[in-house]
């Protein structure tokens, strides 16, 4: 990791690569994830009957045989829940299929069982009699657009919109468009116009911990639910909504979470566990099998993107349209969020005067899509940055200069009407060129020269190439509140309701230590449950640090202010003249006038009660974090195999509160993007059966598949984050597919416009290449 | 359903002899987690693809989800709970901490067990050898670089302290 610091101030604790405060627990096996929670006493194990059909009518459901099995303590169906549809954006989802109703994907919940052993629960699931009348499934989101396609939600017009969704009839659960300028006139005045279609596959978050939860029904009719969730409060709300009870009756306790990446935000089996616990009177644990987790959670949706770009003779982007059709799966979950938000960042890092982004979010008979890391970012960026290089080559331009001329300036008003601050696009691009030694003149097919050819009998030729991808993710967020409890000895504890997904608790503690001038050993942070912590945002969308970090910063200053006010009398000075250091409040410039924090705490406590700090952050609009990646590949022209030789990832991150944690986010984000580029695709057959529901078929990168990822943090203070920090979980996931596609083109002269770029696709394209070239010359 | 015969399985787990009543269909992973209460070993897939459940059995790394509890009779098992020496972290654990080689931490126990086995076999593994050895342990958070660096750094420290 390298750090490039631009106008970056120095701090005491902020800026230190301190080890994660939870590291020792996790290194010794003591950290308790959802599957490890032991409530004491015997517990039951839950299992779910899931639809084996992608689209079918449930004509008959009989659970009596399952109920009669020894060891079975409860069986539940839709009849055990209020008769309602729920949803975060659009109320279109049924938690369990009703007899006479439809199931909408393979994995849709039909019934659930709690039994003494997991084995018995699974046997009982098999004993449930469910009869289905299969219906025509929609597996392709383009098929969902056709007039004669089956309607998956015939009552769509009557569904209640909660937020963001703009249902447009048929199978379209949300249609969103933003436009600026006059794109038709822009194309007319363009020197040349380019069109291309790009497609991406459904991607699974593939966190290493399957979804898990444990629920207890308490004597006061409330429920306690432990879950490995990214969001204590959204999940609590969803559970209460589905169960038809008030939110104070659900105490949602977040456990340690074994990865989420956007896949642990929605309600999964928690409400089933709670109802089973209520019906059986015993605690119920539900942990998904890996195959179940793959098919019945919420992956990243696949996109179909038609992009049209008009350029001037002098390298300017004049006009662009992006027509996006995205696969929402069975329900309008993260698909709607993406549909509504894509127009807010699909311009990428570029300023384009005439621009239209049109998104249609389509129901299909697949798992409901969610908002995986940088939702919509990697998909749209794959199209944008592939086009940047394709256009530059066709025009005979230096692609870096082409980018440079069109990068958005400071205070750029984007398509959503937001004036973007901290636009560090040029700094990020320059750092990537420098770190990688990128020479635009070498980026022509084959220019990087041959690779190390296969040896001996293998008639193999390898060619090297290099590619660049520039992208951004605009981080906005939801509200959070934080409480800081001062202890009698002057040490401090943060009470937080935000889940520690990425090491954020360590950075929050660093923020508190910095403001109150405390050593890290005198700072504690506790992630508490929905009944004990102030409301907090989701740990997603790179927002936890800005939202909760902002709240902690304000809460710490609230404590500081109260200490200063308490010191007015002892120090005979106004708070403005005071400073806090080493457990003392003192008067600036008069080091002999001090009073200890412990004395002030005791004094204040006796007078008006204990000093407690509170701070909060409201919702905030999306501000950009830029990323620029350079990939070096070696392509085997016989097999189509692509090997990554080197990977440079540069991240615009504002002030890195904990550089090691930032580095981890950049490394991991790049690695996941590399998987999306080369090997990952969650596939369904023509009947809508998932065909990649295991790690053998769904190939995430292993240690052998990745090179050393070289990271660079560009630290230029942001105006809106605590101590100038930006959110950086998402942006490193954005550029990899485009950077790698561009590198492959650079190596072998074929452009693959569909992800993942498998050896089969490369090989087929190489065989087609001569014909493609001829076609290009006549076109 | 006449399969539910049980047997007592006795194994040495992290140096302590432990006997559990094991169903014939119980895996070693379930025996460790559910019967012995050692929940540091994680279930990631139950199909031997992810390595989260890696433990040492008679000196070899195994996916404990693919080993039957009955096979552990008389075996020496070592899990993540046995890596540290009391409160003193093993060099691998310290280096994982220093190199920020863990994020969510669910794969970490499996990586530590596998890495310890590697260093017992090869005290000076190259970057490529380390990647090859650890390719059966999947991590979705880190991108592996810090893990590889931590393992090789621990190896260097263990070599110099062995001199």
């Amino acid at each position: 990791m390298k750090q490039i610091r631009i106008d970056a101030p120095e701090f005491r604790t902020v800026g230190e690569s301190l080890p994660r405060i939870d590291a020792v627990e996790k290194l010794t096996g003591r950290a308790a994830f959802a599957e490890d929670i032991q409530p004491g006493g015997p517990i039951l194990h839950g299992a779910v009957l899931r639809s084996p059909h992608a689209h079918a009518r449930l004509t008959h459901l009989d659970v009596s045989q399952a109920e009669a099995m020894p060891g079975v303590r409860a069986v539940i169906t839709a009849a055990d829940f209020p008769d309602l549809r729920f949803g975060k954006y659009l109320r279109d989802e049924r938690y369990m299929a009703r007899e006479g109703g439809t199931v909408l994907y393979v994995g849709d919940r039909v019934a659930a069982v709690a039994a003494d052993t997991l084995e018995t629960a699974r046997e009982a699931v098999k004993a449930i009699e469910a009869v289905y009348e299969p219906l025509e499934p929609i597996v392709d989101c383009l098929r969902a657009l056709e007039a004669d396609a089956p309607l998956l939600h015939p009552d769509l017009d009557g569904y209640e919109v909660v937020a963001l969704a703009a249902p447009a009839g048929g199978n379209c659960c949300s249609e969103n468009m933003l436009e600026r300028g006059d794109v038709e006139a822009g194309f007319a005045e363009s020197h040349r116009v380019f069109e291309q279609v790009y497609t991406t596959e459904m991607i699974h978050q593939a966190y290493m911990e399957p979804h898990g939860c444990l629920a207890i029904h308490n004597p006061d009719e409330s429920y306690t639910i432990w879950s490995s969730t990214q969001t204590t409060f959204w999940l609590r709300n969803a559970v209460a909504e589905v169960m038809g009870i008030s939110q104070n009756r659900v105490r949602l306790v977040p456990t340690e979470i074994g990865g989420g990446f956007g896949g642990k935000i929605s309600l999964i089996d928690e409400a089933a566990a709670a109802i089973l616990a209520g019906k059986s009177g015993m605690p119920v644990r539900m942990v998904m099998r890996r195959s179940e987790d793959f098919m019945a959670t919420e992956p990243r949706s696949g996109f179909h993107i038609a992009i049209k770009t008009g350029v001037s003779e002098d390298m300017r982007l004049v006009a662009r349209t992006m027509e996006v059709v995205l696969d929402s799966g069975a329900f309008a979950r993260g698909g709607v969020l993406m549909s509504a938000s894509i127009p807010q960042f699909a311009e990428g890092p570029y300023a384009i005067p005439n621009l239209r982004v049109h998104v249609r979010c389509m129901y299909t008979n697949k798992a409901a899509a969610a908002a995986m890391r940088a939702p919509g970012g990697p998909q749209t960026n794959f199209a944008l940055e592939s086009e940047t290089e394709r256009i530059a080559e066709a025009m005979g331009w230096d692609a870096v200069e082409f980018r440079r001329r069109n990068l958005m300036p400071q205070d750029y008003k984007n398509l959503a009407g937001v004036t973007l601050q901290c636009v560090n696009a040029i700094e990020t691009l320059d750092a990537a060129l420098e770190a990688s030694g990128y020479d635009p003149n070498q980026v022509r097919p084959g220019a990087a020269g041959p690779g190390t050819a296969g040896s001996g009998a293998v008639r193999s030729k390898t060619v090297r190439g290099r590619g660049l991808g520039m992208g951004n993710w605009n981080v906005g967020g939801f509200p959070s509140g934080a409480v800081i409890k001062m202890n009698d000895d002057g040490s401090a504890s943060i009470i937080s309701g935000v889940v520690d997904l990425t090491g954020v608790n360590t950075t929050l503690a660093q923020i508190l230590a910095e403001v109150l001038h405390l050593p890290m050993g005198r700072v504690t942070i506790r992630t508490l449950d929905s009944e004990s912590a102030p409301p907090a945002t989701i740990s997603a969308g790179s927002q936890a640090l800005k939202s909760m970090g902002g709240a902690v910063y304000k809460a710490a200053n609230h404590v500081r202010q109260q200490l200063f006010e308490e010191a007015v009398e002892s120090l005979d000075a106004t708070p403005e003249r005071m400073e806090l250091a080493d457990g003392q409040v003192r008067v600036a410039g008069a080091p002999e006038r001090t009073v200890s924090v412990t004395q002030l705490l005791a004094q204040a406590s006796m007078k008006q009660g204990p000093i407690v700090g509170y701070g909060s952050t409201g919702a905030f609009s999306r501000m950009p974090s830029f990323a620029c990646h350079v990939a070096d590949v070696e392509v085997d022209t016989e097999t189509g195999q692509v090997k990554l030789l080197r990977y440079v990832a540069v991240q615009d991150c504002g002030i890195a509160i904990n550089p090691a944690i930032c580095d981890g986010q950049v490394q991991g984000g790049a690695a996941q993007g590399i998987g999306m580029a080369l090997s990952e695709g969650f596939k369904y057959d023509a009947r809508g059966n998932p065909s990649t529901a295991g790690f053998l078929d769904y190939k995430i990168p292993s240690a052998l598949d990745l090179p050393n990822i070289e990271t660079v943090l560009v630290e230029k203070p942001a105006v809106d984050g605590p101590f100038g920090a930006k959110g950086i979980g998402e942006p490193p996931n954005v550029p990899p597919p485009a950077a790698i596609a561009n590198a492959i083109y650079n190596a072998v002269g074929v452009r693959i416009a569909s992800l993942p770029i498998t050896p089969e696709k490369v090989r087929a394209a190489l065989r087609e290449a001569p014909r493609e070239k001829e076609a290009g010359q006549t076109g | 359903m006449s399969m539910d015969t049980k047997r007592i399985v006795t194994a040495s787990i992290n140096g302590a002899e432990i006997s559990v009543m094991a169903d014939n269909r119980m895996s070693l992973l379930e025996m460790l987690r559910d019967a012995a209460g050692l929940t540091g070993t994680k279930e990631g897939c139950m199909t031997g693809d992810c390595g989260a459940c890696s433990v040492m059995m008679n000196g070899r790394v195994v996916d404990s989800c693919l080993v039957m509890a009955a096979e552990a009779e008389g075996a020496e098992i070592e899990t993540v709970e046995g890596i540290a020496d009391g409160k003193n972290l093993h060099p691998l654990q310290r280096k994982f901490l220093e190199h920020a080689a863990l994020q969510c931490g669910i794969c970490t126990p499996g990586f530590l067990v596998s890495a310890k086995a590697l260093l017992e076999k090869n005290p000076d593994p190259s970057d490529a050898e380390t990647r090859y050895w650890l390719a059966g342990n999947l991590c979705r958070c880190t991108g592996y670089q810090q893990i590889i660096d931590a393992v090789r750094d621990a190896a260097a420290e263990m070599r110099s302290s062995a001199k």
Side-chain angles (χ1 to χ4, degrees):
Chain A
M1 171 184 58
K2 280 188 204 138
Q3 290 169 268
I4 297 175
R5 311 193 83 231
I6 304 167
D7 305 326
E10 296 289 337
F11 299 99
R12 239 178 96 254
T13 312
V14 163
E16 291 293 307
S17 285
L18 301 176
R20 291 177 65 114
I21 55 180
D22 55 353
V24 173
E25 293 218 326
K26 287 178 171 175
L27 286 163
T28 52
R30 285 200 297 260
F33 295 84
E35 62 175 9
D36 305 327
I37 300 293
Q38 300 294 346
I43 63 165
L44 303 180
H45 299 268
V48 177
L49 172 65
R50 300 184 183 279
S51 167
H53 298 282
H55 191 200
R57 189 166 303 286
L58 177 64
T59 55
H60 178 69
L61 184 64
D62 181 355
V63 300
S64 55
Q65 279 193 33
E67 280 175 330
M69 283 173 67
V72 170
R73 303 300 183 112
V75 181
I76 59 169
T77 66
D80 293 280
F81 291 85
D83 180 15
L84 55 78
R85 288 182 184 271
F86 73 105
K88 175 81 187 156
Y89 307 109
L90 179 67
R91 296 215 158 99
D92 66 345
E93 192 164 348
R94 284 202 178 275
Y95 192 67
M96 277 191 181
R98 293 178 314 160
E99 203 171 14
T102 51
V103 287
L104 290 170
Y105 69 101
V106 172
D108 212 350
R109 236 175 261 105
V110 175
V113 175
D116 291 341
T117 69
L118 188 53
E119 198 85 40
T120 307
R122 287 178 180 163
E123 289 299 325
V125 160
K126 288 183 205 157
I128 295 172
E129 197 183 317
V131 182
Y132 305 89
E133 176 193 312
L135 301 169
E136 183 194 336
I138 300 178
V139 184
D140 181 345
C141 62
L142 296 184
R143 168 71 182 139
L145 285 168
E146 291 171 5
D148 67 339
L151 284 182
L152 305 193
H153 289 266
D155 302 326
L156 176 60
D157 290 346
Y159 290 166
E160 185 190 343
V161 173
V162 184
L164 300 177
N171 286 308
C172 182
C173 61
S174 197
E175 179 173 16
N176 301 77
M177 192 172 86
L178 285 180
E179 186 165 10
R180 169 172 58 212
D182 183 337
V183 288
E184 299 314 326
F187 287 131
E189 74 179 60
S190 291
H191 174 61
R192 264 189 79 178
V193 175
F194 295 83
E195 286 186 78
Q196 181 67 280
V197 170
Y198 292 88
T199 59
T200 71
E201 288 275 6
M202 189 177 257
I203 296 290
H204 201 279
Q205 293 86 354
Y207 31 74
M208 299 315 297
E209 176 206 29
H211 270 268
C213 62
L214 187 142
I216 293 179
H217 183 221
N218 300 309
D220 67 354
E221 294 302 315
S222 68
Y223 296 84
T224 305
I225 303 174
W226 287 262
S227 172
S228 62
T229 178
Q230 292 175 240
T231 163
T232 305
F233 292 90
W234 286 21
L235 179 57
R236 185 271 315 262
N237 294 356
V239 169
E241 184 180 350
V242 162
M243 293 175 64
I245 59 178
S246 62
Q247 294 173 348
N248 66 310
R249 285 172 59 196
V250 180
R251 179 173 162 238
L252 203 297
V253 190
T255 64
E256 291 290 349
I257 176 169
F261 318 112
K264 292 179 179 170
I265 294 177
S266 298
L267 167 63
I268 305 291
D269 287 339
E270 289 85 356
I275 295 284
L276 285 168
K279 209 165 177 179
S280 66
M282 289 178 71
V284 175
R285 187 194 305 287
M286 312 263 294
V287 177
M288 282 181 145
R289 278 183 285 198
R290 181 54 70 174
S291 57
E292 215 177 356
D293 193 293
F294 265 114
M295 73 172 76
T297 53
E298 40 179 2
R300 166 187 281 162
S301 69
F303 278 30
H304 181 279
I305 304 170
I307 183 169
K308 182 175 174 184
T309 310
V311 294
S312 69
E313 262 180 302
D314 64 346
M315 288 190 171
R316 296 282 171 190
L317 289 165
V318 178
R320 171 167 279 167
T321 55
M322 272 180 99
E323 285 285 333
V324 179
V325 181
L326 75 86
D327 189 338
S328 187
F331 307 110
R333 287 192 203 159
V336 166
L337 177 68
M338 277 188 281
S339 187
S341 59
I342 286 166
Q344 301 182 26
F345 59 79
E347 56 209 301
Y350 304 116
I352 308 170
N354 306 294
L355 175 65
R356 182 171 65 224
V357 182
H358 178 212
V359 190
R360 281 172 294 175
C361 181
M362 307 304 296
Y363 285 127
T364 62
N365 293 111
K366 300 181 186 173
M372 184 178 168
R373 202 170 195 163
Q379 298 101 320
T380 50
N381 187 262
F382 172 55
L384 287 181
E385 281 294 83
S386 292
E387 283 300 90
T388 301
E389 293 276 339
R390 198 173 73 92
I391 293 168
E393 204 216 1
M395 299 300 293
W397 295 339
D398 167 349
V400 170
E401 184 55 30
F402 177 36
R403 285 184 177 89
R404 219 182 266 286
R405 286 220 187 155
N406 291 284
L407 287 176
M408 52 178 56
Q410 285 297 345
D411 300 321
Y412 176 72
K413 194 169 175 182
N414 75 357
L415 195 53
V418 177
T419 300
L420 300 181
Q421 296 170 311
C422 313
V423 177
N424 302 328
I426 288 169
E427 292 86 341
T428 308
L429 175 62
D430 283 342
L433 298 176
E434 163 89 33
S436 64
Y438 190 92
D439 177 357
N441 294 319
Q442 277 198 348
V443 185
R444 302 187 305 278
T452 51
S455 59
V458 184
R459 204 170 54 84
S460 171
K461 180 173 163 254
T462 57
V463 190
R464 290 185 174 189
R466 163 170 277 202
L468 182 144
M470 173 90 196
N472 61 298
W473 173 254
N474 297 356
V475 178
F478 302 105
S480 287
V483 169
I484 291 170
K485 189 170 72 70
M486 295 305 295
N487 302 308
D488 296 345
D489 65 357
S491 62
S493 309
I494 303 171
I495 293 169
S496 164
V498 84
V499 170
D500 186 5
L501 185 69
T502 56
V504 77
N505 275 5
T506 307
T507 54
L508 294 174
Q510 285 180 258
I511 290 171
L512 173 59
E514 185 73 41
V515 175
L516 293 187
H517 207 272
L518 286 168
M520 283 294 279
R522 284 168 64 76
V523 171
T524 304
I525 178 162
R526 298 282 174 223
T527 307
L528 298 186
D529 61 82
S530 60
E531 284 291 276
S532 312
T537 189
I538 56 178
S539 289
S542 302
Q543 65 183 276
L545 176 62
K546 280 173 86 173
S547 176
M548 184 53 84
V552 167
Y553 180 80
K554 286 184 199 164
N557 276 297
H558 184 213
V559 168
R560 197 166 174 266
Q561 192 57 33
Q562 291 174 74
L563 290 170
F564 287 2
E565 279 161 18
E566 187 58 38
V568 165
E569 212 175 306
S570 334
L571 297 180
D572 191 21
T574 57
E576 295 73 45
R577 292 184 56 209
M578 294 178 195
E579 43 189 43
L580 176 63
D582 303 322
Q584 307 282 326
V585 172
R586 62 192 185 207
V587 179
E592 72 291 349
R593 286 162 70 189
T594 69
V595 56
S596 74
V597 167
T598 48
Q599 189 188 323
L600 292 169
L601 287 169
Q603 234 169 265
S605 186
M606 295 309 284
K607 279 195 265 176
Q608 67 270 353
I611 289 184
V612 173
Y614 180 72
S616 58
T617 309
F620 48 97
S621 43
R622 291 169 173 266
M623 291 296 155
S625 299
F626 294 88
C628 188
H629 293 192
V630 177
D632 284 1
V633 300
E634 188 169 273
V635 183
D636 186 319
T637 57
E638 285 295 316
T639 64
Q641 191 78 37
V642 176
K643 188 179 166 193
L644 269 177
L645 300 175
R646 184 185 177 208
Y647 200 90
V648 174
V650 176
Q651 184 56 49
D652 158 37
C653 68
I655 294 295
I657 293 185
N658 185 315
I661 288 176
C662 293
D663 179 41
Q665 287 299 304
V666 179
Q667 299 255 354
Q672 287 179 4
I674 291 166
M676 177 178 179
L678 292 174
S679 65
E680 294 180 36
F682 194 74
K683 290 180 183 295
Y684 288 81
D685 69 14
R687 300 300 308 162
N689 296 305
S691 50
T692 53
F695 285 122
L696 212 52
D697 300 305
Y698 186 85
K699 175 74 177 93
I700 69 169
S702 77
L704 271 182
D705 302 312
L706 296 173
N708 290 4
I709 296 170
E710 300 166 37
T711 60
V712 180
L713 304 180
V714 176
E715 295 185 66
K716 191 173 170 187
V719 293
D720 58 339
F723 292 103
K726 286 189 173 188
I728 62 135
E730 328 295 291
N733 196 221
V734 173
I740 290 168
N742 289 339
I744 292 168
Y745 180 82
N746 175 225
V748 292
V750 296
R751 184 157 291 284
I752 312 295
S754 73
L755 296 179
I757 306 176
T758 58
E760 291 86 341
K761 286 183 191 169
V762 174
R763 192 163 186 268
L766 281 169
R767 297 191 162 192
E768 292 284 318
R771 260 189 293 157
E772 200 176 78
K773 242 170 211 168
E774 283 160 32
Q777 278 161 5
T778 57
Chain B
M1 294 299 295
S2 58
M3 296 284 288
D4 61 339
T5 48
K6 295 185 175 185
R7 69 174 71 194
I8 291 173
V9 176
T10 302
S12 159
I13 304 176
N14 301 323
E17 194 175 280
I18 293 179
S19 296
V20 303
M21 183 67 88
D23 184 285
N24 273 356
R25 288 167 296 185
M26 183 183 261
S27 67
L28 173 57
L29 173 62
E30 290 159 327
M31 171 178 150
L32 291 169
R33 289 181 52 84
D34 303 337
L38 294 168
T39 56
T41 305
K42 302 303 180 190
E43 174 185 329
C45 66
M46 286 304 271
T47 49
D49 296 317
C50 78
C53 67
S54 301
V55 300
M56 294 289 279
M57 180 168 160
N58 296 330
R60 279 181 57 217
V61 185
V62 296
D63 288 326
S64 60
C65 71
L66 296 185
V67 175
M68 302 309 290
E71 295 176 76
E73 174 62 40
E76 285 197 14
I77 309 288
E78 194 184 326
T79 71
V80 67
E81 287 93 345
I83 290 183
D85 176 13
K87 286 198 76 176
N88 296 323
L89 295 181
H90 185 275
L92 274 166
Q93 291 168 313
R94 264 193 292 107
K95 292 300 178 187
F96 266 60
L97 185 144
E98 286 171 20
H99 286 267
L102 72 156
Q103 287 186 32
C104 83
I106 196 98
C107 71
T108 309
F111 269 97
L112 288 168
V113 168
S114 290
K116 187 161 177 278
L118 167 65
L119 300 190
E120 278 164 15
K121 223 177 147 82
N122 178 356
D124 187 11
S126 67
D127 185 278
E129 285 167 338
T130 311
R131 285 180 182 275
Y132 186 81
W133 182 272
L134 294 177
N137 290 81
L138 295 178
C139 169
R140 190 57 156 168
C141 296
T142 65
Y144 304 102
Q145 186 59 49
Q146 292 99 329
I147 295 175
I148 306 299
D149 291 346
V151 172
R152 298 189 64 209
D153 197 7
E157 187 187 293
M158 288 162 72
R159 284 197 308 276
S160 68
S161 62
K163 273 175 195 164

